[in-house]
């Protein structure tokens, strides 16, 4: 019978933990905004042939912001992706 990991990673606690969780949630909201912006740009580009100007640049910048805002939470919960 297979059992789970020997220890479950503990999440951040206290005020600092709440700040880290808030940053991660903010990163998720930014990422959701990028998805909505990209969808809007694609739909308007297809329907009226006038997409949102600068959407590629905004996507690049905002995805970077979202990823880096989620990294502290991933580090605290041992959820970072590793390659062996």
């Amino acid at each position: 019978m297979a059992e789970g990991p020997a220890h479950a990673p503990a999440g951040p606690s206290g005020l600092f933990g709440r700040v880290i969780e808030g940053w991660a949630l903010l990163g998720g909201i930014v990422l959701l905004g990028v998805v909505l912006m990209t969808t809007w740009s694609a739909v308007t580009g297809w329907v009226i042939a006038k997409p949102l100007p600068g959407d590629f640049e905004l996507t690049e910048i905002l995805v970077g912001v979202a990823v880096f805002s989620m990294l502290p939470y991933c580090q605290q919960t041992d959820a970072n992706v590793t390659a062996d």
Side-chain angles (χ1 to χ4, degrees):
M1 185 182 272
E3 293 185 19
H7 72 314
S13 61
L15 178 62
F16 187 66
R18 289 192 178 271
V19 170
I20 288 175
E21 288 176 356
W23 276 110
L25 287 173
L26 183 64
I29 292 168
V30 168
L31 203 55
L32 180 62
V34 169
V35 169
L36 294 174
M37 178 191 66
T38 303
T39 304
W40 177 263
S41 180
V43 168
T44 58
W46 182 67
V47 172
I48 60 175
K50 186 170 172 125
L52 184 66
D55 60 341
F56 288 110
E57 292 81 7
L58 284 171
T59 300
E60 290 174 1
I61 292 169
L62 292 176
V63 166
V65 168
V67 166
F68 282 111
S69 68
M70 294 176 190
L71 280 177
Y73 182 78
C74 291
Q75 185 68 32
Q76 287 292 322
T77 58
D78 290 332
N80 282 335
V81 177
T82 60
D84 293 333

